[in-house]
Amino acid sequence: MPKEVITNADEVSNDWLTAVLVGSGALVYGTIISFGLETGQANWSTYAKLMVTYSDDAKGALPRHLFLKMAQFDSEEEEAFGISEVTYYTRDYVDVKNAPLVGCYAGAYSEELKRYHLLLDDLSDTHIVAAEKEPTLTYGFALVEGLALLHAHWWGAERLNEAGAPIHNAAFIRRFVDICELGVEPILRRDPNELESHWTDTIRQLYAKHPQALIERTKDGNGFTLIHGDVGHHNILVPHTGDNPLYLIDRQPFNWSLTSWLGVYDLAYAIVLDWPTDARRKYEIPLLKRYHEHLIKHGVAHYSWEQLFDDYRLCVAMCVYISAEYCRGGTNKQWFHVWLLMLQRSLIACDDLNCSALWKHR
């Protein structure tokens, strides 16, 4: 199978597509004789939608609609993407039946170029991003069941070591927090009416004490796993009708992002940052309980409901970091409507769940 990284849609040819699909097993006989091409651009990548025509004698799965993602990042070295999304599709879960991942036919990464490509199924005709639907309990169940399936596969310190992705050390955690903290002062200098009066103190106490609570939690590996890390509602594909099958896309961590972390972080990210507060309050506990049940179903042992709930509260507070990070280069006016709502939802959730009780005596 060709390994070279595709950096431009113009590099795609009938021969390249044929070789890739033969290598993946999707084409067992015949060739690709033509393809249509529709290109576009996302935040950190360009893409091409391919409409494939096969020779009359072609046999195999013969996918007709393909999505070629070509990712690059041309900023400072500390912001570079690595190989994570390629291994997400081609290594990490290839032996996990019914994993909520889009079908992948090829992926390649260049350390030299800091670029990669992925050739995936194009689901445009059947799926939309979750942001276009109101969250419901049944959708939430589909999401947490999918996350539990992925998380259980690499659960615990021993499995993470096998994956070559050990739990982050104190220095890495501090770096993550420090980068997010750069956004705090620009936020606090804004109109005080945007935040409840006690939230300024909440934020300062959080950054003063919460990071050590995270570091202390890493001493017990039960609860840690490979995480997606960015389970926002634009990175979840759901069917036009119904809730299954659901797919988690765009695992693109920066060099400073947490990748081997508490599994419930992915739940907190999805539920707290993107769901309306009323929906989060209504469905939170049923979703956490369903997640716990499915972890056990998939073989996770000795991880109590009480520990899961405390871990969730610890991760809910981390949503404040994610919100503040938007402003680490100064007040982010372009995304004001996004980060302020995320921050407000995060701080409301911290109040609702009394998250500070986990670290206030440190």
Side-chain angles (χ1 to χ4, degrees), residues 147-155 159 225 291 294-295 298-300:
L147 286 170
L149 179 61
L150 298 183
H151 291 166
H153 188 64
W154 293 108
W155 193 265
R159 284 286 288 154
T225 185
Y291 174 72
H294 276 256
L295 286 178
H298 297 305
V300 170

Side-chain angles (χ1 to χ4, degrees), residues 5-54:
V5 172
I6 299 294
T7 61
N8 190 294
D10 292 339
E11 300 170 18
V12 178
S13 66
N14 290 340
D15 289 343
W16 182 83
L17 279 173
T18 297
V20 166
L21 293 179
V22 167
S24 72
L27 177 62
V28 296
Y29 193 82
T31 62
I32 291 171
I33 59 173
S34 67
F35 59 91
L37 191 68
E38 176 186 331
T39 60
Q41 186 164 355
N43 286 338
W44 312 116
S45 64
T46 56
Y47 64 85
K49 294 183 178 183
L50 309 173
M51 290 67 73
V52 178
T53 301
Y54 296 88

Side-chain angles (χ1 to χ4, degrees), residues 163-361:
I167 298 169
H168 299 300
N169 61 26
F172 195 99
I173 294 168
R174 289 285 183 184
R175 180 175 179 236
F176 167 79
V177 174
D178 289 346
I179 287 172
C180 296
E181 191 173 8
L182 294 173
V184 170
E185 291 307 321
I187 288 172
L188 294 183
R189 287 196 297 266
R190 288 186 57 84
D191 184 349
N193 293 324
E194 293 169 354
L195 302 177
E196 297 291 339
S197 58
H198 67 285
W199 282 349
T200 296
D201 185 59
T202 298
I203 293 171
R204 296 199 185 283
Q205 287 295 314
L206 174 67
Y207 278 95
K209 296 186 176 183
H210 180 256
Q212 188 57 39
L214 299 179
I215 292 168
E216 291 294 320
R217 180 62 184 86
T218 63
K219 294 178 180 179
D220 176 7
N222 196 7
F224 290 85
T225 185
L226 285 185
I227 62 168
H228 181 286
D230 188 11
V231 192
H233 55 188
H234 288 283
N235 291 339
I236 305 167
L237 297 181
V238 294
H240 290 289
T241 303
D243 302 299
N244 272 302
L246 168 152
Y247 301 99
L248 304 175
I249 61 172
D250 288 0
R251 189 181 78 175
Q252 289 179 280
F254 294 116
N255 291 3
W256 50 268
S257 302
L258 299 178
T259 55
S260 300
W261 200 244
L262 292 165
V264 287
Y265 176 84
D266 279 340
L267 276 70
Y269 195 110
I271 298 170
V272 174
L273 293 175
D274 287 333
W275 287 33
T277 293
D278 287 347
R280 192 262 306 163
R281 286 169 169 164
K282 183 177 181 180
Y283 301 134
E284 192 169 49
I285 297 302
L287 293 178
L288 289 171
K289 286 187 176 294
R290 179 66 68 98
Y291 174 72
H292 190 235
E293 291 168 2
H294 276 256
L295 286 178
I296 295 170
K297 174 183 176 181
H298 297 305
V300 170
H302 311 298
Y303 187 57
S304 69
W305 160 253
E306 292 76 16
Q307 183 65 69
L308 182 149
F309 188 62
D310 280 350
D311 287 345
Y312 176 73
R313 293 164 67 208
L314 202 63
C315 292
V316 164
M318 296 177 71
C319 292
V320 176
Y321 299 159
I322 302 305
S323 308
E325 188 272 330
Y326 274 79
C327 295
R328 62 187 169 102
T331 302
N332 190 332
K333 295 180 180 179
Q334 178 183 359
W335 294 101
F336 168 76
H337 62 291
V338 173
W339 64 256
L340 179 60
L341 182 58
M342 285 182 168
L343 181 62
Q344 291 168 337
R345 286 171 171 170
S346 300
L347 290 165
I348 290 170
C350 284
D351 287 346
D352 287 349
L353 298 168
N354 192 23
C355 295
S356 63
L358 297 172
W359 63 81
K360 67 180 180 181
H361 296 303

